[in-house]
Amino acid sequence: MLDLILSVVLAVFLGICFKVWPRFEVRVLPGILHNYIACIVAAAVVTGSWPLPVSALREDWFPLAIGLSVFFIAGFYLFGVAISVWGMGTISAVQKMSLVISALYAIVVYGEALTLVKGTGILLGLAAIPMLLIRKKQDVPLTGTRLTMSWGRAVALVLGTFLLAGGIEIGLLVAESGLVETTGDPRFIAVIFGGAFVFGWLITLRSGEDRAAFFTPRHVLAGWLLGVPNFFSIFFLMRAIGGELDASIVFPVNNIATILLSTLLGVFIFREAFGIKNGLGMVFALLSLTLLTLQV
C-alpha cells in the first residue's frame, strides 16, 4: 500500500510542475528531455550501476520498453500542453480515466468477466470525459505554452492524452505480468526513458527555439525537478502492480486518489474554474472508478 500512496503523491506533483512551467517560461519539450536524463540517473542510483547495459537488448521486455518510450514522450508532451489549455484538475481527471481502456483490455485479452457493475462503471467513465472537458468557449485556448489552437484541436489534444495514458497502463500491466524479472525493474524503466529521450531529441532538432532552450539553466532545473519524482512515480506504481494488491485494485485506487488531489489543488491553490457540469463529471468519474474496483 505504501508503494501505491507514494505513486499517487508523486503523480500529483508532476501535474503541479507542468502547471507552473508556463509561469517561468519553461518550454515543454526541452524540460521533458532533461526530465528523462534525470530519470536515467535516478535509475542508476537505485540499481547501483549503469541502468542501460548492452545486455538489455536481449531481454524479452526490450521491444515493449521501446514501444512504451514512444508513448511516454508523446503522452508526457501532450499532458504538459493540455494542462496549460484545460487546467490541472480537469486533465489529471481525464488522464486517469484511462482506466476505462485498461478495463476493456483486460476483458477482451485476458477474458475477465464483463459484469453489470463493471459495464456500468465503464459507461459512467465514458460519460464523464466530455463533462469534465466543458469550459466556456472564451476560456479556450490559453496561451501559456505560446500556442494558439482551436476548440477542436484542444479537444483532440486532451483525448490524445487520455488514449496514450491508457496505452501506457496496458504496457506496464503486460510488463508486470511476467516479462520483467523483478517488480519495478529499474532497467526496464530506464530503457523506456532512454528511448523517450532519443525520440524527443529527434523532434527537438526540428525546432531552433527548443534546441536553444534545452541548454538554458532554467530548463535544466525544471527538468530535474520533474524527472526524479517522475522516475519514482513509475517505479512505485510498477511495484504496486506487482505486489500483493490486484492490478484491478491498484489502477482504480491510484487514479481516484490522483483525481481528488489534483482537483483540490487545481481549484483551491491555482484557482481553476470548476462549474456544475464539471462537478457532475467528477462525480461520474469517481462512481465509475469505484464500481470498477468492486470484486464481483
Side-chain angles (χ1 to χ4, degrees):
M1 182 59 72
L2 179 59
D3 290 327
L4 185 54
I5 293 173
L6 291 173
S7 176
V8 168
V9 172
L10 292 170
V12 173
F13 181 78
L14 301 184
I16 295 175
C17 289
F18 281 124
K19 179 67 178 180
V20 301
W21 273 12
R23 301 184 183 184
F24 295 95
E25 297 185 350
V26 175
R27 297 178 67 86
V28 174
L29 190 54
I32 288 177
L33 290 178
H34 281 292
N35 144 81
Y36 289 136
I37 296 174
C39 287
I40 294 172
V41 172
V45 172
V46 171
T47 59
S49 61
W50 177 242
L52 297 173
V54 176
S55 60
L57 295 171
R58 299 189 294 271
E59 297 288 351
D60 292 338
W61 48 256
F62 185 80
L64 175 61
I66 293 300
L68 281 175
S69 70
V70 177
F71 277 53
F72 265 71
I73 184 63
F76 225 33
Y77 179 79
L78 292 183
F79 180 65
V81 176
I83 281 182
S84 296
V85 175
W86 292 99
M88 178 179 166
T90 297
I91 291 305
S92 295
V94 172
Q95 185 194 50
K96 293 304 177 181
M97 286 310 301
S98 59
L99 178 64
V100 173
I101 300 176
S102 304
L104 289 174
Y105 180 85
I107 291 169
V108 175
V109 176
Y110 292 108
E112 294 186 2
L114 179 59
T115 64
L116 178 61
V117 172
K118 186 179 292 185
T120 302
I122 293 173
L123 291 176
L124 280 172
L126 293 174
I129 295 172
M131 301 189 74
L132 288 168
L133 291 175
I134 293 174
R135 284 291 186 272
K136 293 180 180 180
K137 191 170 183 179
Q138 60 265 32
D139 289 341
V140 178
L142 301 180
T143 57
T145 57
R146 299 180 183 177
L147 294 176
T148 300
M149 62 181 66
S150 65
W151 177 264
R153 290 184 63 186
V155 172
L157 172 70
V158 77
L159 290 179
T161 302
F162 165 72
L163 293 173
L164 287 169
I168 289 172
E169 286 188 357
I170 289 173
L172 296 179
L173 178 58
V174 170
E176 284 291 341
S177 296
L179 279 182
V180 294
E181 296 177 2
T182 59
T183 183
D185 190 340
R187 295 181 306 151
F188 176 76
I189 302 173
V191 170
I192 292 175
F193 289 137
F197 176 85
V198 171
F199 291 124
W201 181 251
L202 292 176
I203 298 173
T204 302
L205 291 176
R206 302 179 59 184
S207 171
E209 287 186 328
D210 282 338
R211 287 200 310 273
F214 177 81
F215 296 101
T216 62
R218 180 173 66 250
H219 287 80
V220 174
L221 177 60
W224 277 77
L225 288 176
L226 178 73
V228 175
N230 185 27
F231 168 82
F232 283 103
S233 70
I234 301 300
F235 176 73
F236 287 124
L237 178 59
M238 290 189 68
R239 282 173 57 92
I241 295 171
E244 295 180 357
L245 296 175
D246 292 338
S248 59
I249 295 296
V250 171
F251 282 126
V253 172
N254 178 76
N255 293 355
I256 289 172
T258 302
I259 288 173
L260 289 175
L261 288 178
S262 297
T263 300
L264 289 173
L265 288 174
V267 173
F268 293 107
I269 295 181
F270 296 110
R271 305 299 182 187
E272 293 180 353
F274 199 77
I276 295 177
K277 292 181 179 179
N278 303 136
L280 185 58
M282 184 64 67
V283 171
F284 278 12
L286 293 176
L287 286 174
S288 167
L289 294 172
T290 300
L291 290 175
L292 290 171
T293 66
L294 297 178
Q295 299 298 299
V296 294

